[in-house]
Amino acid sequence: DKINELTISQPTKEMLSIAKEKGIETTWDRLEKQEPHCGFGQLGICCRNCTMGPCRIDPFGGEPRKGVCGATADTIVARNFARMVAAGTAAHSDHGRGVALTLLEGAEGKAPYPIKDKEKLKSVATKLGIEIEGKSDEEIAKEIAKKALEDFSRQNEDTLNFLKAYAPKKRFELWKSLGVLPRNIDREVVDIMHRTSIGVDNDPLSLIVQSIKTSLADGWGGSLLATELQDILFGTPQPVKGFADLGVLDEKKVNIIVHGHEPILSEKIVEAAESEEMQKLAKEVGAEGINVCGMCCTGNELLVRHGVPVAGNFLQQELAIITGAVEAMVVDVQCIMPSLPDIAKCYHTKIISTSKQAKFPGAVHIEFNEENADEIAKEIVKTAIENFKNRKKSVHIPNEKKECIVGFSVEAILSALGGSLDALIDAIKSGKIKGAVGIVGCNNPKVKHNYAHVELTKELIKNDILVVQTGCAAIACAEAGLLSLDAIELAGDGLKEVCKALNVPPVLHLGSCVDCSRILVLLGALAEALGVDISDLPVAGAAPEWMSEKAVAIGTYFVASGVFTVLGVVPPILGSKEVVKIATQDAEKLVGGKFAVETDPVKAAKLIIKHIEEKREKLGI
Ligand code: BF8
């Protein structure tokens, strides 16, 4: 029936039928009410940037051909695209800024954030050219934090510290020659907001070039520094066992779901929940303990570092509440549906918002700040525990969760390979592994939930292509069992042999969406080891079910880094032939990467395999 068309996930189907039975509206119902979507919006040809409009361009070439100011479809589409990149970059990078400030406050003794990974601290410092001899860890951390904060404040034309330290040389030179080296993360975002306001930049190519520059400030700047500094504070992920899907909720325990993107609070919630004081309190209310689970990218952060179970990805957030078993859903920022408090009204679940930046009418707001992190985390956990007694009888937790092995940071991949990339390079050269593909990004109710992630991944590993993942894509594949050693059997013979020898799954979970920067670092290291550019490598990227502006920023920085990137959801650019041509053709001549759009995951796999074969041929392997 209809529910079978919405998702491939059994627990999701189960919860959707309960939602239907109870008349609870979910994102899929709301999607239906929005259909048919506005055609102008879908094509990217409506402009609301001033009040002479809103203006719309006739997509069939008739009138109106221009907005009131004279902007053409090409200008409007390019401006809208640039604003998506700016918003995505802002989200990732503001998160990164928060981590830098936390590292600084921790090192100054103003907030309870000690340095957990001293090795990473030193390696990041060394990369950034910080002298470490004779300095305390705190001194080094302060200098790293300042280098990071400088990337948000520099006013001259110099390049981001982090990009300079991490980007491979050939790429760096190419970006320099194109004039797309970002100066300051905030400034690149502001630059887009400025140039897309009425009557500034009207040249589609110029707008796309600034989008590229801004996206690089995200990938090699804001996101990368978020990843690196989080590793310093909370540990660099190493392979760890975890579980995924709604079945990780535990009927007998106080269930707390941490949802959103930032580990700064959720790390503290895990700590607080483990404390004797809270465990005792939980027993006093009749629970067997406290079960902290993750969701979306906050979930990924905890999963890859500690094996904390993940209850689901983006489209499962509403359904988790409908289990009736969640005492508190603690949210920070990004990808949190505004519908949650409404759904929670039907249950005892408390939605606890914690960020100054993200308030939700109907939620309980317990505002987080780093200085009092421990006390606030305890207060939140206590609030959840006290809510256990309000749980109603009708609890329904799907009886399904999948085991996964996760935590493949670049450091972990290197150590699995015995310390260098040689073994991986040999496997690629010999053709045992044909290439590698990053499959990343969101869920989107316009796409059958998890279907495109899982099908594309299966097709690729079957064809001896190693898959690395982040974000909701990784959770989808965890739920489908593809992040387990059993999945090795689904791989082609060559990949199977390599995975067996290394004892790793054919699909590697690298972390959250900001951890797409780990993929960049890995690509950079591979390119340098082979003495080529990233655009020469037999690799590709894919975002089969993307929906967020952040995904547009990610896709753009992958393309700008030389990676062929396939989108499974059509971006709102089809209203401009010029922008489509730049994104899907001309970009390759400029930066060596380009976009393709393919909504069918099996066909997307074919495109990718063909691309990888061509790159192999050019490399002579
Ligand atoms: O941060 S949680 S829905 S935006 S993939 Fe997509 Fe998922 Fe959001 Fe990326 Ni991560």
Side-chain angles (χ1 to χ4, degrees):
D1 66 325
K2 209 180 130 213
I3 286 176
N4 281 321
E5 297 303 307
L6 303 182
T7 176
I8 59 164
S9 142
Q10 202 47 48
T12 304
K13 288 180 193 170
E14 217 171 299
M15 296 317 299
L16 273 173
S17 49
I18 294 180
K20 196 161 172 232
E21 215 175 276
K22 298 200 168 169
I24 298 171
E25 187 186 73
T26 66
T27 186
W28 285 275
D29 303 310
R30 295 190 297 272
L31 173 66
E32 218 177 286
K33 291 180 191 172
Q34 287 293 337
E35 280 166 345
H37 283 281
C38 165
F40 297 98
Q42 279 183 315
L43 296 171
I45 44 176
C46 58
C47 177
R48 290 188 300 107
N49 296 7
C50 83
T51 62
M52 294 191 292
C55 294
R56 309 189 295 192
I57 306 299
D58 179 57
F60 305 108
E63 291 293 349
R65 292 168 204 266
K66 288 177 178 167
V68 178
C69 70
T72 61
D74 293 330
T75 299
I76 293 173
V77 168
R79 284 199 304 223
N80 290 341
F81 179 83
R83 284 195 170 197
M84 291 182 91
V85 172
T89 300
H92 288 141
S93 303
D94 210 25
H95 167 174
R97 179 201 331 262
V99 184
L101 290 168
T102 306
L103 182 68
L104 184 63
E105 283 182 25
E108 289 173 346
K110 292 181 188 154
Y113 287 90
I115 293 148
K116 186 151 176 202
D117 193 336
K118 299 189 171 162
E119 224 174 286
K120 182 95 186 203
L121 177 85
K122 293 193 177 117
S123 85
V124 173
T126 310
K127 272 209 162 124
L128 289 166
I130 295 168
E131 181 58 62
I132 55 175
E133 267 317 297
K135 286 184 191 154
S136 72
D137 292 342
E138 286 68 29
E139 279 168 331
I140 299 171
K142 273 188 236 172
E143 286 188 42
I144 292 175
K146 285 183 181 151
K147 287 265 188 201
L149 295 170
E150 205 174 79
D151 283 350
F152 293 92
S153 58
R154 178 181 301 101
Q155 297 303 325
N156 61 28
E157 296 296 311
D158 284 353
T159 304
L160 300 184
N161 294 326
F162 274 78
L163 184 142
K164 270 200 280 195
Y166 282 78
K169 276 193 206 71
K170 290 202 167 141
R171 268 290 117 182
F172 186 88
E173 291 308 323
L174 175 69
W175 292 331
K176 193 172 169 190
S177 72
L178 293 171
V180 294
L181 285 172
R183 305 152 288 185
N184 158 338
I185 299 160
D186 287 350
R187 182 172 178 186
E188 303 314 343
V189 172
V190 167
D191 183 305
I192 284 186
M193 295 314 286
H194 174 186
R195 77 169 67 210
T196 56
S197 67
I198 157 81
V200 186
D201 194 358
N202 302 304
D203 177 354
L205 182 60
S206 167
L207 285 156
I208 301 293
V209 167
Q210 178 58 24
S211 305
I212 285 176
K213 193 167 173 176
T214 307
S215 75
L216 292 174
D218 178 355
W220 296 90
S223 284
L224 191 144
L225 67 89
T227 295
E228 296 297 86
L229 307 195
Q230 282 170 179
D231 282 355
I232 293 173
L233 284 171
F234 308 122
T236 303
Q238 291 298 323
V240 61
K241 194 170 94 176
F243 286 94
D245 222 328
L246 291 163
V248 301
L249 295 169
D250 187 335
E251 187 158 4
K252 302 206 173 79
K253 293 185 178 167
V254 172
N255 290 304
I256 302 176
I257 292 186
V258 284
H259 172 27
H261 280 74
E262 301 183 342
I264 295 177
L265 165 65
S266 49
E267 283 273 343
K268 290 290 181 189
I269 293 204
V270 171
E271 255 179 62
E274 280 165 0
S275 72
E276 234 171 84
E277 183 191 351
M278 293 297 144
Q279 290 291 337
K280 194 167 151 253
L281 222 59
K283 302 256 158 68
E284 280 168 23
V285 300
E288 279 184 6
I290 305 166
N291 181 33
V292 179
C293 305
M295 184 145 264
C296 285
C297 277
T298 291
N300 279 323
E301 298 278 359
L302 294 178
L303 174 69
V304 296
R305 290 205 177 82
H306 311 294
V308 169
V310 63
N313 53 11
F314 181 70
L315 284 178
Q316 291 176 299
Q317 56 185 293
E318 295 178 305
L319 308 177
I321 300 174
I322 300 174
T323 62
V326 179
E327 274 55 60
M329 186 178 271
V330 184
V331 302
D332 48 64
V333 289
Q334 302 172 22
C335 300
I336 302 146
M337 287 192 190
S339 62
L340 296 183
D342 253 359
I343 295 185
K345 268 190 218 146
C346 311
Y347 297 88
H348 74 305
T349 307
K350 283 198 158 85
I351 307 294
I352 303 180
S353 57
T354 58
S355 166
K356 279 201 251 330
Q357 284 174 299
K359 307 242 171 108
F360 293 77
V364 181
H365 190 69
I366 303 181
E367 195 158 301
F368 176 71
N369 68 65
E370 285 74 12
E371 295 75 26
N372 305 309
D374 292 318
E375 296 75 35
I376 295 166
K378 271 193 186 167
E379 187 190 338
I380 290 172
V381 173
K382 215 168 139 198
T383 307
I385 295 171
E386 282 163 358
N387 198 24
F388 184 73
K389 61 175 187 300
N390 300 322
R391 196 192 276 183
K392 297 187 181 131
K393 288 236 161 51
S394 62
V395 166
H396 182 104
I397 299 173
N399 181 22
E400 192 176 314
K401 58 178 178 186
K402 290 274 164 57
E403 194 178 303
C404 50
I405 298 177
V406 302
F408 292 94
S409 56
V410 176
E411 291 83 345
I413 292 173
L414 276 169
S415 92
L417 289 167
S420 85
L421 288 172
D422 294 351
L424 179 60
I425 290 172
D426 289 346
I428 293 174
K429 282 189 178 159
S430 72
K432 278 183 193 156
I433 295 181
K434 297 249 158 54
V437 173
I439 301 180
V440 307
C442 327
N443 292 139
N444 185 328
K446 289 177 173 174
V447 180
K448 189 176 195 176
H449 171 239
N450 288 359
Y451 169 75
H453 290 311
V454 168
E455 284 310 302
L456 177 59
T457 303
K458 280 190 188 160
E459 280 300 312
L460 293 178
I461 61 173
K462 194 169 82 188
N463 284 283
D464 293 317
I465 293 169
L466 177 71
V467 173
V468 297
Q469 298 192 325
T470 62
C472 288
I475 300 175
C477 288
E479 293 180 350
L482 295 175
L483 308 189
S484 68
L485 294 178
D486 292 344
I488 294 177
E489 291 309 316
L490 301 174
D493 289 342
L495 180 60
K496 198 185 282 178
E497 190 189 322
V498 176
C499 291
K500 275 193 180 151
L502 298 174
N503 204 30
V504 298
V507 185
L508 304 180
H509 188 339
L510 273 63
S512 67
C513 285
V514 292
D515 293 336
C516 285
S517 62
R518 299 191 201 275
I519 303 178
L520 293 178
V521 172
L522 189 61
L523 289 173
L526 263 178
E528 300 233 294
L530 283 164
V532 299
D533 194 354
I534 293 177
S535 53
D536 301 319
L537 297 173
V539 300
E545 303 183 22
W546 75 278
M547 60 83 196
S548 151
E549 292 163 316
K550 292 177 284 174
V552 180
I554 294 174
T556 307
Y557 72 63
F558 270 108
V559 167
S561 300
V563 180
F564 174 58
T565 301
V566 183
L567 303 176
V569 176
V570 184
I573 62 169
L574 297 193
S576 162
K577 284 205 185 84
E578 178 76 17
V579 173
V580 170
K581 186 166 165 285
I582 296 170
T584 62
Q585 294 174 31
D586 302 351
E588 195 168 26
K589 284 170 232 144
L590 283 174
V591 289
K594 65 177 178 187
F595 281 110
V597 180
E598 177 51 69
T599 53
D600 176 339
V602 177
K603 286 187 189 153
K606 288 207 176 101
L607 275 182
I608 289 171
I609 293 165
K610 185 168 160 269
H611 169 82
I612 284 178
E613 275 164 4
E614 282 167 11
K615 291 290 173 187
R616 291 184 64 89
E617 207 166 300
K618 274 197 200 135
L619 281 173
I621 55 175

